Amino acid sequence: MIAAPELPSEFHYPGDTDTRFSSDTDFSEDPDGRATNPIKGKGKKGKKAAGEKGKGGKGAGRMNGHHQENGMENMMLFEVVRLGKSAMQSVVDDWIESYKNDRDVALLDLINFFIQCSGCKGVVSGEMFRNMQNSEIIRRMTEEFDEDSGDYPLTIAGPQWKKFKSSFCEFIGVLVRQCQYSIIYDEYMMDTVISLLTGLSDSQVRAFRHTSTLAAMKLMTALVNVALNLSINMDNTQRQYESERNKMVAKRANDRLELLLQKRKELQENQDEIENMMNAIFKGVFVHRYRDAIAEIRAICIEEIGVWMKLYSDAFLNDSYLKYVGWTMHDKQGEVRLKCLTALQGLYYNRELNTRLELFTSRFKDRIVSMTLDKEYDVAVQAIKLLTLVLHSTDEVLSPEDCESVYHLVYSAHRPVAIAAGEFLFKKLFSQREPEEEGAPKRRGRQSPNANLIKTTVFFFLESELHEHAAYLVDSLWESGGELLKDWECMTSLLLDDPLPGEEALTDRQETALIEIMLCTVRQAAECHPPVGRGTGKRVMTAKEKKTQLDDKTRMTELFAVTLPPLLAKYSVDAEKLTNLLQLPQFFDLEIYTTGRLEKHLEALLRQIREIVEKHTDTEVLEACSKTYHALCNEEFTIFNRVDIARSQLLDELVDKFNRLLEDFLQEGEDADEDDAYQVLSTLKRITAFHNAHDLSQWDLFTSNFKLLNTGIENGDMPEQIVIHALQCTHYVILWHLAKVSEGSSRKEDMGTLRKQMRAFCMMCQRYLTNVNTAVKEQAFTILCDVLMIFSHQMVSGGREHLEPLVYSPEDSLQSELLSFILHHVFIDQDDDTNSTDGQQDDEAGKIEALHKRRNLLAAYCKLIIYCVVDMKTGADIFKQYMRYYNDYGDIIKETMSKTRQIDKIQCAKTLILSLQQLFNEMLSELGHGFDRSSSMFCGIKELARRFSLTFGLDQVKTRDAIAMLHKDGIEFAFKEPSPQGEGNPPLHLSFLDILSEFSSKLMRQDKRTVHMYLERFMTFQMALQREDCWLPLISYRNSLQAGGDDDTMSVMSGYSSRGSSVRSKKTKPTGPASTASGSSSKRKLPEEESSSSSEVWQQTMQSPVMMPSPHLTSTVMRDPKRARDDSFMGGYPLPHDQQQQAQPHSLPQHHPQTPQHQQNPMDYNTQVTWMLAQRQQEEVRQQQERAMNYAKLRTNLQHAIRRGTGLMEEDEEPIVEDVMMSSEGRMDDLNEGMDFDTMDIDLPQSKNRRERSELKPDYFDPASIMDESVLGVSMF
C-alpha cells in the first residue's frame, strides 16, 4: 500500500456541498449536463498526475483533486475510505465538486482509488491515463503488484481493515446516488469506470478480480436503484400526462402537456442509458465472474443478483436471470450455495412475486429439497427455511414425499436444522386451527382448540417410529409451537377425562406417547436448555427468559400437584407410564405446596408413591420413586419434615421385612422354596433402588448383605438375581460410608471399619469372578473395577491426604483374574454369546445389546490400565486383539494406547512389543519352528505391527526414546533363544526381526546407525556372511536400518555439501573431516548436548568391531549429496590395495583443517579428490549463475504470455463449476511443473525438529548396562 498521512481526528469534510439536482422537477435544469461534455484529454494542462498528488504536495491545497476549505494536508481517496472517520456523503460531495472543476484529475483519483483498493502499490499517472488503453494500464499495474504477499484490503485481517469492505461498498453506492441526476449521464465518468472495472475483473490477479467484481456488482446495484427511481418517475409523469390530457379542452394546459412530454422523453433517455450501463456490467462482469474459480467472487455475484431481482422485479425477476441462481445451487462450495438460498428467500417472502417464480420452482424444487440434507449445516438450515416460505406461499407445490423428507429432520442432532424442520412441520400440520366464535367463552381442557393439535403431535410421534426421541421432537417444535406444547391442562384432560360423544378415545400406545411428550415439555420448560446431544451446553438466560421459566414452573406445579395423584392412581399397574409420571415432581417449585395450600395433594402424592413401591418390583419404577423422594426431601422447603417422615416409615418397614425374610431364608438353606426367594429378592430390589439415592447407613445393611453373599459362595445355589442385587447394595453401602469419611467429620474407627469392609468386599467380588453364572460374574467384575478405581492412589489428590489408609492396590492374583475374565468374556466371537433371543429381529437386537455389554466391560478394565491401577504390561493382552476385533473394540483399544502413551511413552512401547512377542510365541506353538513366513498368522502379526507403527504419528522427536526402546526389546527377543538345531543355524525367534522392521521408518536417521550398531553386538561374524532364506529377516532388518541412514551420517561427519558452498559464501571450506564436522554442527546450530552425544556415538562406532567386511572407502567427505547417491568415485579413481587397507573405518587417519592451496604433505588420494571437487564446485557455481539468469528471462516471458492469454468464458451458458479459470499464481505453478529448472541451491533455515532433537539416552545402548554374554548366548568380540 502507498503510505499516506494519518487523518487528524479534528479533520472534517465540508458538509454544505449540495447537488443542484435534488428533486424530480430539476431535470430540465442541467448546467453540468450532457451538453457540456468536454473531450477526453483536451485542455488539461498544468495538472498534477495522481502519482504526484499521492505523495503530498503542499502548494495545491487539494484533496483528491479539489480544494480543501480547512487547508489540511493532501490525503488520497483510498486512505479516507480506509480510515472511515468521515461521513461518506461529504467525501463523495467533495469528489463531485472536484469532478466539476477538473474531471480528468478527479477521474484519475477514482481510478487510482480502485487500483489501491486492490492492494496494488502502483499509481496510474496522468500521462498513462491520457495515452494508454485500459488493458495496457492494467498490465502495467500487474507488473507493479507485490507478489510476496497474497493479502489485499478485502482479505487482510485486523481491526483497521475490519470495516473496509463496508466502507468501500458504501462509497460506491453514495457516489452513484449523488451523481444520479447529471454526472452519470455525461458519457464520460461511468463509461471510464465501467471499462476499467470490466478490464480488472478479467485479470489473472485475484486481488484485481475480487475487488473489481465487488465494485462492479455494487455499482450495478446502485444503478438498479437509479433505474427503479426513473421507472417510478416515468409512471408518475405518465399518469400526470394522461390526467391532464383527459381534461376538457377549455381546462387543458398545453404548456404543461408539453413540459410533461419533454420530461418523459428525458426520463426515457436516461432510462435507456442506465439500461445500457447495466447491460455492459452484466455481460462484461457478471456472466464471467459468477463462474469464477474463487468461491468468494461467485458468492458476491449471486448475492447481488438476488438484490436486483428483489429491488427491481419488473426488469430482473424472469427466467433469464433466475437460471443463474438455479445453476449455482449445484456449486461445490457451501458459501455459494448459501447465497443462492438467501437470495431466493427474499423473493419467496413476497407473495406478489409467486406467479413469476412458478417455472423456476417446478424446475429447481427437487434440488432445493435435496439441499435440506446438505453436508454444510448452514446450507441445510436455509434450504428448510426456503421450503417453509414456499409452503407458506402455496400448499400445492410440495408433494407429500417432499414434506416427509423434511419431517424426519426434527430428530436431527444439529439443533438449528431441527428447529428449522420443526417450524416447517408446525406450519404444515398445525397452522390450521379451528376458528373460535366471537364472544363465546374460551374452551379449555379437552374441548380446547389445541386438543386436536396435541393428538396430531402424538400421531406424528408414533408414525415416525423413533419413540425414544420425544425430547428431540419437543425441542424442535419449542420455538414455533411452544404455546401448544405448554398446554398441560389439555394434555391431562385428554388422559383423565372421558371422551366426548362421537370422539374416539386414545389407545394405550397413544396414552404412553402423550405422557412421554408431556414429561419432555415439562423438562424443557423447567430447565430451558436442549436435551443431551443437541447443543453445546447451558447458556446464560436473559431476564425475560428467567421470568418465563419461573412462570412456567409455577403454572406446572399448580396444575400437576392436583392432577398427578389421579394420574398415578389411574395408571398404577403400567410400569412404563409410571416411570415417566414419577419424574414430574423433580421439576416442581416445591414452595407452591405451602403457598398454594396444596398440602392435601402432597399427602395424596406420598400415598400413591408408597403404594407403587409396595406393588412394583420393576427396577426403573423403583428408581423413579427413589428419585421422587429425593427431590421432595429438600431441607430448604417446609414440606421436608412431612416427606422425611413418610420416607423413614417406608424404609423402616422395608429393612425390617428384609432382615426377617433373610433370616428365615438362610435358616431354611436348601429347603427354601421359590416363594421365599422371591420375597427376599423383591424386598432387596426396593432397598437397593432407594440406597442409590438415599443414605441408609443407620440400618447397617453391610452385615446382612455380606452374610447373604458369603452363604452364596459356600452353598453355591443362591439365585443369581439375589446375588446381583446384594452385590449392588453392598457397593452402595461402601460408597455412602466413603462419602461420610471424605467429609472429614468421622472418627478414626469409621475409617478403619470402612477399610476392612472395602477389602472384604473386594475379596468377595474376586471369589464371585469364578461363579458359574455369567450375569453374576459380570456384575462382580464391573463393581470390582469401580471399587478399584475409587480406592486407587488418586483418591488422595485434591487435599484428601487423610484418606491415604484407604488406598487399595490390587494384588497380582487379582490382576490376573481380571485379565482372564476379559479374555474369556469379551474377546469372543459373536456366535459364542448365548444371550441372543429367538427370532431374526430379536436376535439382532440381542447381539447388539450383548456387544454393548462387552464394550462396557472392556472399557471398565481399560480405565484401570489408563489410571495405573493395574500394571500397564497387562495391556499387552488387550493390544494384541486390536486387528482381530477392530470392528467391535477398535476405538476403545486405540484410545487406551493413546492414553498410555501420554502417561509413559517408553512403557507403552514396551507393552506394544510385548503384545507382538506374545502373538509370535502363540504362532510358534501352533505352527512349529519351521513355519512359513507367508502364512496368514505371520502376516497378521506383521500387519498389526504396521498398525502399531502408525499410532506413533509423524513427530519423531516426541516418540524417539519410545521407538528406540521398542527396537532394543525386539532385538533382544529375536536373539534370546538359540537355535534348537545347534550352532550355525538362525536363532529361534530370528523371524521376529521381520516384524520389527515395520517400526524402522519411525527411527530418526541418526538413530538408525545407533540401533544398527546395537544389532551387530548380538551377531557373530558368521551371521553377517549368511545369505540363505532362513537369514532373510536379519538381512531385511539390517537393510531397513541402513536405508536413508548412510547419507545422513556422512553429512553429520563431513557437514560439507553443495548448500555449504553457496554463492553467497566466498570463503574457502576446510577439507578435513574434523573441521567439516565442526562446520556442520555450527551451521545446523545443534544443541551442545546433542553434538557431544553424537560425537560419542560416532567414536563408539569407529572403535566398535565390524561384523561384515567394510566396503572400500569412497571418500564422500567433500561430495555433493545429490551426486553422492548417483556417482561412485571408486569407478573413476580406483584405490591401490595398500590404500584400501588403510582406508578401513576403524583406522581412519585424523585430518586437520587446511586448505588445498597451503597443503604441505605430498598429495595423496584424498587430497586429489578434494582438489578435483573444489574445481567441480567452482564450475557448478558458474553454471548455476547462468541458469538463474536464463530462468529469470524465461519467467518474465512467461508472465507476459500469461497476461496476454486470459482464456476467460465469453458465452452465457449453463456452468460446469469444476471448469473454472485459474489464478495467475496457479498457472505459473503449473507451467513451472512442466519445466525442469535447475536452480541453484539455497541455504534453508534450520528446521524446528532439528533444533529440538536430543540424542538417545546413553544407558539404552550402554554395553555395561545391557550386554551380558550369559544372557545373550552369543560370542562377542
Side-chain angles (χ1 to χ4, degrees):
M1 305 302 168
I2 298 177
E6 184 71 15
L7 185 64
S9 58
E10 67 273 6
F11 174 78
H12 65 278
Y13 285 93
D16 53 354
T17 306
D18 262 340
T19 175
R20 299 180 212 178
F21 308 96
S22 57
S23 66
D24 295 335
T25 60
D26 295 328
F27 278 102
S28 58
E29 303 172 6
D30 195 1
D32 294 326
R34 295 152 58 189
T36 60
N37 291 341
I39 301 175
K40 175 180 177 182
K42 300 293 181 70
K44 305 298 178 201
K45 297 181 179 180
K47 302 293 182 182
K48 270 193 174 184
E52 299 169 348
K53 293 186 302 166
K55 297 180 181 180
K58 296 184 179 180
R62 291 175 174 269
M63 179 166 183
N64 307 307
H66 58 279
H67 293 281
Q68 293 189 47
E69 296 181 0
N70 54 6
M72 298 298 293
E73 294 182 357
N74 292 342
M75 180 168 287
M76 303 179 71
L77 187 60
F78 167 71
E79 294 295 332
V80 177
V81 174
R82 180 180 70 86
L83 295 174
K85 296 183 179 179
S86 302
M88 206 58 66
Q89 178 87 20
S90 60
V91 175
V92 172
D93 288 345
D94 288 346
W95 183 88
I96 292 174
E97 186 66 26
S98 170
Y99 185 84
K100 292 176 181 178
N101 295 331
D102 191 337
R103 63 182 188 176
D104 275 355
V105 174
L107 200 54
L108 193 58
D109 279 351
L110 192 59
I111 291 173
N112 280 311
F113 167 72
F114 289 119
I115 295 295
Q116 292 162 10
C117 287
S118 302
C120 180
K121 294 182 178 180
V123 176
V124 180
S125 64
E127 182 180 356
M128 295 168 59
F129 178 58
R130 290 190 296 270
N131 302 325
M132 296 175 65
Q133 297 295 327
N134 279 338
S135 58
E136 298 174 352
I137 294 175
I138 294 173
R139 186 176 297 113
R140 182 73 62 83
M141 294 298 102
T142 302
E143 293 173 356
E144 298 184 15
F145 212 94
D146 182 13
E147 297 181 357
D148 295 336
S149 174
D151 291 333
Y152 48 97
L154 289 180
T155 60
I156 295 177
Q160 60 176 345
W161 299 101
K162 190 175 183 180
K163 296 183 179 180
F164 174 78
K165 182 178 179 180
S166 59
S167 299
F168 178 69
C169 298
E170 182 186 3
F171 172 80
I172 296 174
V174 175
L175 177 64
V176 174
R177 187 175 71 241
Q178 294 299 100
C179 298
Q180 65 177 319
Y181 299 114
S182 61
I183 296 179
I184 61 173
Y185 305 110
D186 65 2
E187 297 181 353
Y188 184 63
M189 189 269 281
M190 290 300 294
D191 291 354
T192 305
V193 171
I194 292 174
S195 176
L196 173 71
L197 294 179
T198 303
L200 288 174
S201 68
D202 276 346
S203 172
Q204 296 284 340
V205 180
R206 171 178 175 171
F208 279 152
R209 209 166 65 251
H210 187 184
T211 308
S212 59
T213 302
L214 176 62
M217 294 299 99
K218 291 299 180 180
L219 184 65
M220 178 82 166
T221 302
L223 291 175
V224 168
N225 281 305
V226 174
L228 181 61
N229 291 334
L230 288 174
S231 176
I232 294 173
N233 290 332
M234 286 179 62
D235 292 341
N236 293 336
T237 304
Q238 183 67 25
R239 282 196 300 270
Q240 292 175 9
Y241 176 78
E242 295 292 339
S243 175
E244 190 67 28
R245 193 180 63 175
N246 291 334
K247 292 181 180 179
M248 296 175 61
V249 178
K251 296 183 179 180
R252 185 183 304 166
N254 293 329
D255 295 341
R256 179 171 174 77
L257 285 176
E258 293 179 1
L259 185 63
L260 290 173
L261 282 174
Q262 181 66 23
K263 183 176 180 180
R264 188 179 67 176
K265 182 180 178 181
E266 292 179 0
L267 290 173
Q268 184 63 48
E269 292 176 355
N270 292 343
Q271 182 82 1
D272 294 340
E273 286 208 27
I274 294 297
E275 290 179 359
N276 290 335
M277 298 176 195
M278 292 191 297
N279 285 332
I281 296 175
F282 187 82
K283 293 181 179 180
V285 180
F286 179 89
V287 171
H288 304 296
R289 297 282 67 79
Y290 90 100
R291 298 178 57 189
D292 196 275
I294 306 302
E296 297 173 73
I297 298 177
R298 302 198 299 272
I300 289 171
C301 295
I302 296 302
E303 181 180 15
E304 294 305 315
I305 196 175
V307 175
W308 308 337
M309 290 186 290
K310 184 179 179 181
L311 286 177
Y312 199 4
S313 57
D314 292 338
F316 288 96
L317 189 54
N318 53 61
D319 298 328
S320 299
Y321 295 97
L322 281 169
K323 65 183 180 182
Y324 297 107
V325 181
W327 292 340
T328 317
M329 283 195 295
H330 296 271
D331 196 277
K332 293 189 296 184
Q333 296 296 324
E335 174 188 2
V336 184
R337 299 195 299 272
L338 186 64
K339 293 297 182 183
C340 294
L341 294 173
T342 52
L344 292 173
Q345 287 176 12
L347 303 178
Y348 280 99
Y349 185 78
N350 189 352
R351 291 192 176 186
E352 298 177 356
L353 306 178
N354 290 339
T355 56
R356 304 183 188 180
L357 293 167
E358 289 179 356
L359 182 60
F360 175 84
T361 304
S362 62
R363 168 68 176 81
F364 292 100
K365 179 198 67 174
D366 293 339
R367 174 56 185 162
I368 299 174
V369 173
S370 67
M371 291 174 76
T372 59
L373 299 176
D374 198 279
K375 64 179 181 180
E376 301 285 344
Y377 286 125
D378 294 340
V379 177
V381 170
Q382 298 305 323
I384 298 171
K385 290 184 177 180
L386 178 59
L387 289 177
T388 306
L389 291 174
V390 173
L391 185 67
H392 189 66
S393 60
T394 173
D395 198 16
E396 301 175 355
V397 176
L398 298 179
S399 64
E401 292 77 13
D402 297 334
C403 296
E404 288 176 4
S405 64
V406 182
Y407 290 162
H408 75 275
L409 294 176
V410 297
Y411 297 105
S412 171
H414 191 260
R415 193 164 190 260
V417 172
I419 289 176
E423 184 179 357
F424 179 88
L425 174 66
F426 188 79
K427 283 189 177 294
K428 180 67 176 177
L429 299 183
F430 307 132
S431 58
Q432 304 296 331
R433 292 173 175 265
E434 297 180 5
E436 296 188 12
E437 300 179 2
E438 296 183 1
K442 186 176 182 180
R443 293 179 294 173
R444 304 173 67 88
R446 198 181 190 98
Q447 299 179 358
S448 69
N450 290 335
N452 289 331
L453 301 181
I454 292 175
K455 290 182 181 179
T456 304
T457 307
V458 174
F459 299 155
F460 174 81
F461 175 59
L462 292 176
E463 290 176 1
S464 64
E465 297 181 356
L466 293 169
H467 312 306
E468 68 275 16
H469 293 85
Y472 277 23
L473 174 61
V474 169
D475 183 57
S476 301
L477 294 171
W478 195 253
E479 292 189 5
S480 54
E483 294 301 322
L484 169 66
L485 296 176
K486 288 191 286 189
D487 193 352
W488 299 303
E489 184 178 359
C490 180
M491 295 180 186
T492 54
S493 178
L494 288 172
L495 293 171
L496 291 174
D497 299 345
D498 295 331
L500 299 174
E503 182 185 5
E504 186 177 355
L506 295 175
T507 64
D508 181 72
R509 187 162 172 258
Q510 292 170 353
E511 288 180 340
T512 303
L514 177 57
I515 291 175
E516 186 175 357
I517 291 174
M518 183 173 65
L519 170 64
C520 293
T521 59
V522 169
R523 181 187 293 113
Q524 186 87 3
E527 296 180 350
C528 291
H529 65 79
V532 177
R534 183 183 282 181
T536 56
K538 295 183 179 180
R539 61 182 181 85
V540 179
M541 293 189 298
T542 62
K544 183 179 180 181
E545 290 174 338
K546 290 181 179 179
K547 184 178 184 303
T548 303
Q549 181 188 25
L550 293 176
D551 294 342
D552 290 341
K553 290 187 71 172
T554 301
R555 191 162 62 86
M556 78 173 68
T557 306
E558 291 174 348
L559 174 66
F560 286 108
V562 178
T563 58
L564 182 57
L567 286 171
L568 294 176
K570 181 177 180 179
Y571 302 108
S572 59
V573 295
D574 194 322
E576 186 176 1
K577 294 184 178 68
L578 287 177
T579 302
N580 289 326
L581 289 173
L582 287 169
Q583 296 180 47
L584 291 175
Q586 301 175 25
F587 309 103
F588 285 179
D589 182 3
L590 300 180
E591 193 66 29
I592 303 296
Y593 274 112
T594 304
T595 58
R597 299 181 180 276
L598 302 175
E599 288 85 355
K600 62 177 182 179
H601 298 288
L602 177 62
E603 294 290 344
L605 176 62
L606 295 176
R607 281 197 305 272
Q608 290 297 329
I609 296 176
R610 182 187 179 92
E611 292 177 4
I612 292 171
V613 172
E614 294 173 351
K615 187 181 298 184
H616 284 268
T617 58
D618 186 82
T619 303
E620 292 184 355
V621 176
L622 294 175
E623 287 182 353
C625 293
S626 174
K627 291 179 181 178
T628 302
Y629 270 116
H630 183 268
L632 296 175
C633 288
N634 193 331
E635 298 181 1
E636 297 179 1
F637 302 100
T638 55
I639 63 173
F640 168 74
N641 292 331
R642 186 173 302 185
V643 179
D644 186 48
I645 292 173
R647 180 187 61 176
S648 300
Q649 291 176 352
L650 175 62
L651 292 176
D652 278 336
E653 294 179 6
L654 289 176
V655 174
D656 291 342
K657 182 179 179 181
F658 173 69
N659 290 330
R660 186 176 64 256
L661 292 172
L662 180 61
E663 185 176 356
D664 297 340
F665 180 74
L666 295 179
Q667 286 180 357
E668 293 176 3
E670 299 180 357
D671 299 332
D673 56 6
E674 295 182 359
D675 212 18
D676 296 336
Y678 175 78
Q679 291 293 332
V680 173
L681 175 61
S682 59
T683 309
L684 183 58
K685 274 187 174 183
R686 297 183 179 101
I687 293 176
T688 304
F690 272 86
H691 209 349
N692 188 11
H694 304 272
D695 185 9
L696 309 184
S697 302
Q698 55 180 325
W699 284 281
D700 189 20
L701 292 171
F702 181 85
T703 303
S704 55
N705 280 282
F706 194 81
K707 184 187 300 183
L708 177 61
L709 293 172
N710 195 34
T711 304
I713 289 291
E714 294 174 354
N715 298 337
D717 57 352
M718 187 70 67
E720 66 173 60
Q721 288 298 319
I722 293 180
V723 175
I724 289 174
H725 285 86
L727 287 171
Q728 190 66 55
C729 187
T730 310
H731 185 208
Y732 291 149
V733 172
I734 298 293
L735 295 183
W736 278 108
H737 201 168
L738 175 62
K740 276 191 172 183
V741 172
S742 300
E743 296 175 357
S745 58
S746 59
R747 300 169 299 174
K748 291 185 178 180
E749 293 79 3
D750 295 336
M751 187 172 294
T753 303
L754 174 60
R755 187 172 183 272
K756 292 179 182 179
Q757 291 180 352
M758 179 267 297
R759 292 177 179 268
F761 181 60
C762 288
M763 293 180 62
M764 184 66 67
C765 291
Q766 183 178 354
R767 296 172 67 184
Y768 269 105
L769 286 177
T770 58
N771 193 275
V772 179
N773 192 279
T774 303
V776 173
K777 287 191 288 187
E778 290 177 352
Q779 180 77 347
F781 177 84
T782 304
I783 291 177
L784 193 54
C785 289
D786 289 343
V787 172
L788 291 177
M789 273 295 301
I790 294 170
F791 289 90
S792 66
H793 56 87
Q794 299 190 13
M795 74 180 304
V796 298
S797 60
R800 293 177 295 183
E801 289 78 8
H802 64 282
L803 299 179
E804 187 173 358
L806 298 176
V807 174
Y808 177 62
S809 298
E811 299 176 353
D812 294 340
S813 60
L814 177 56
Q815 294 187 32
S816 62
E817 286 194 39
L818 291 174
L819 180 59
S820 176
F821 176 87
I822 286 293
L823 297 179
H824 290 89
H825 291 83
V826 174
F827 295 108
I828 58 176
D829 294 333
Q830 191 78 280
D831 298 334
D832 296 341
D833 194 359
T834 58
N835 293 335
S836 58
T837 56
D838 297 335
Q840 184 175 1
Q841 184 174 1
D842 294 339
D843 186 47
E844 289 298 324
K847 287 182 178 180
I848 294 175
E849 185 65 28
L851 176 60
H852 283 307
K853 185 183 297 183
R854 293 197 299 272
R855 284 175 58 86
N856 290 334
L857 294 174
L858 179 60
Y861 184 77
C862 288
K863 282 194 295 184
L864 300 181
I865 299 176
I866 292 172
Y867 289 96
C868 303
V869 179
V870 298
D871 195 350
M872 191 182 293
K873 67 180 181 181
T874 60
D877 292 278
I878 307 295
F879 297 160
K880 70 183 182 182
Q881 310 289 347
Y882 182 62
M883 287 292 296
R884 183 178 178 184
Y885 296 95
Y886 181 81
N887 292 333
D888 294 341
Y889 318 116
D891 55 336
I892 299 176
I893 299 176
K894 187 175 181 180
E895 183 67 16
T896 305
M897 286 191 288
S898 175
K899 294 294 185 182
T900 52
R901 186 174 292 116
Q902 294 175 15
I903 297 171
D904 191 339
K905 295 184 180 68
I906 296 177
Q907 188 61 36
C908 176
K910 292 172 74 70
T911 305
L912 291 178
I913 201 67
L914 178 60
S915 65
L916 295 174
Q917 293 169 5
Q918 291 178 358
L919 287 174
F920 188 83
N921 288 327
E922 293 174 5
M923 181 193 65
L924 286 180
S925 62
E926 183 173 344
L927 301 181
H929 305 318
F931 66 91
D932 185 5
R933 288 199 303 276
S934 63
S935 63
S936 59
M937 289 189 68
F938 185 80
C939 293
I941 300 174
K942 197 170 182 181
E943 175 63 18
L944 179 62
R946 188 184 71 85
R947 294 291 187 95
F948 284 169
S949 175
L950 294 176
T951 61
F952 282 95
L954 300 176
D955 194 344
Q956 294 180 333
V957 177
K958 292 182 179 179
T959 60
R960 186 180 188 185
D961 295 345
I963 292 293
M965 179 57 68
L966 187 145
H967 280 272
K968 172 182 175 295
D969 288 358
I971 293 172
E972 291 176 357
F973 176 77
F975 290 93
K976 184 176 181 181
E977 295 290 339
S979 174
Q981 300 175 358
E983 195 171 341
N985 293 289
L988 182 62
H989 299 158
L990 187 68
S991 298
F992 189 78
L993 293 178
D994 204 2
I995 299 171
L996 191 61
S997 62
E998 295 292 338
F999 298 92
S1000 297
S1001 61
K1002 297 300 179 181
L1003 280 170
M1004 296 174 67
R1005 285 202 231 176
Q1006 58 264 43
D1007 297 340
K1008 288 184 178 181
R1009 180 63 179 265
T1010 311
V1011 174
H1012 184 267
M1013 179 188 69
Y1014 183 67
L1015 172 67
E1016 289 180 339
R1017 296 180 185 276
F1018 289 83
M1019 296 169 52
T1020 63
F1021 186 77
Q1022 291 77 15
M1023 288 182 184
L1025 300 177
Q1026 300 294 336
R1027 289 295 181 269
E1028 289 82 1
D1029 290 344
C1030 58
W1031 294 94
L1032 284 179
L1034 176 60
I1035 297 173
S1036 62
Y1037 182 58
R1038 293 188 68 193
N1039 291 338
S1040 68
L1041 295 178
Q1042 292 173 346
D1046 293 341
D1047 294 340
D1048 184 74
T1049 56
M1050 297 307 287
S1051 66
V1052 171
M1053 292 176 64
S1054 64
Y1056 196 95
S1057 65
S1058 60
R1059 293 184 179 182
S1061 57
S1062 175
V1063 178
R1064 291 170 293 182
S1065 177
K1066 300 297 182 181
K1067 297 180 180 180
T1068 304
K1069 300 296 181 182
T1071 59
S1075 62
T1076 52
S1078 62
S1080 173
S1081 62
S1082 62
K1083 176 179 175 181
R1084 297 190 182 203
K1085 297 182 181 179
L1086 294 172
E1088 294 181 3
E1089 61 273 15
E1090 181 175 347
S1091 301
S1092 61
S1093 58
S1094 298
S1095 61
E1096 292 175 4
V1097 170
W1098 298 127
Q1099 289 174 7
Q1100 293 177 8
T1101 305
M1102 294 304 179
Q1103 298 171 2
S1104 63
V1106 182
M1107 299 301 137
M1108 296 184 64
S1110 299
H1112 298 308
L1113 180 64
T1114 55
S1115 185
T1116 57
V1117 174
M1118 299 292 293
R1119 186 181 299 174
D1120 188 340
K1122 292 189 293 184
R1123 297 184 177 273
R1125 292 189 295 269
D1126 302 328
D1127 303 334
S1128 175
F1129 290 100
M1130 286 297 298
Y1133 305 97
L1135 285 175
H1137 180 70
D1138 54 349
Q1139 291 186 11
Q1140 293 178 12
Q1141 298 298 325
Q1142 296 175 4
Q1144 295 297 330
H1146 61 276
S1147 58
L1148 279 175
Q1150 297 296 323
H1151 294 279
H1152 299 282
Q1154 55 184 357
T1155 60
Q1157 292 82 353
H1158 297 82
Q1159 207 168 20
Q1160 300 298 329
N1161 297 330
M1163 294 184 67
D1164 57 359
Y1165 169 75
N1166 289 339
T1167 308
Q1168 293 176 8
V1169 172
T1170 300
W1171 180 83
M1172 294 177 65
L1173 285 176
Q1175 296 296 324
R1176 177 171 295 184
Q1177 288 167 359
Q1178 293 178 5
E1179 180 66 17
E1180 286 178 353
V1181 168
R1182 186 183 61 78
Q1183 293 178 0
Q1184 288 168 355
Q1185 291 176 342
E1186 294 178 356
R1187 290 171 188 151
M1189 295 176 62
N1190 294 334
Y1191 171 70
K1193 294 178 181 178
L1194 180 59
R1195 180 181 176 89
T1196 303
N1197 295 334
L1198 285 173
Q1199 288 176 343
H1200 289 300
I1202 290 172
R1203 295 188 187 103
R1204 285 196 299 269
T1206 57
L1208 300 177
M1209 290 176 39
E1210 298 295 339
E1211 297 179 358
D1212 178 14
E1213 57 185 2
E1214 184 165 354
I1216 302 174
V1217 180
E1218 290 79 7
D1219 183 18
V1220 291
M1221 158 191 117
M1222 295 186 299
S1223 65
S1224 60
E1225 182 179 356
R1227 300 221 4 208
M1228 278 299 299
D1229 291 341
D1230 291 346
L1231 288 170
N1232 290 340
E1233 287 177 2
M1235 302 181 181
D1236 186 13
F1237 295 118
D1238 192 2
T1239 59
M1240 58 184 178
D1241 291 332
I1242 300 174
D1243 267 331
L1244 298 177
Q1246 55 191 356
S1247 67
K1248 181 179 179 182
N1249 286 344
R1250 188 175 296 276
R1251 288 198 303 267
E1252 293 177 352
R1253 289 172 182 172
S1254 58
E1255 191 59 44
L1256 290 172
K1257 296 181 179 179
D1259 59 320
Y1260 287 168
F1261 298 97
D1262 183 9
S1265 61
I1266 59 177
M1267 300 306 298
D1268 186 355
E1269 294 187 12
S1270 63
V1271 176
L1272 298 177
V1274 296
S1275 60
M1276 302 299 298
F1277 285 88

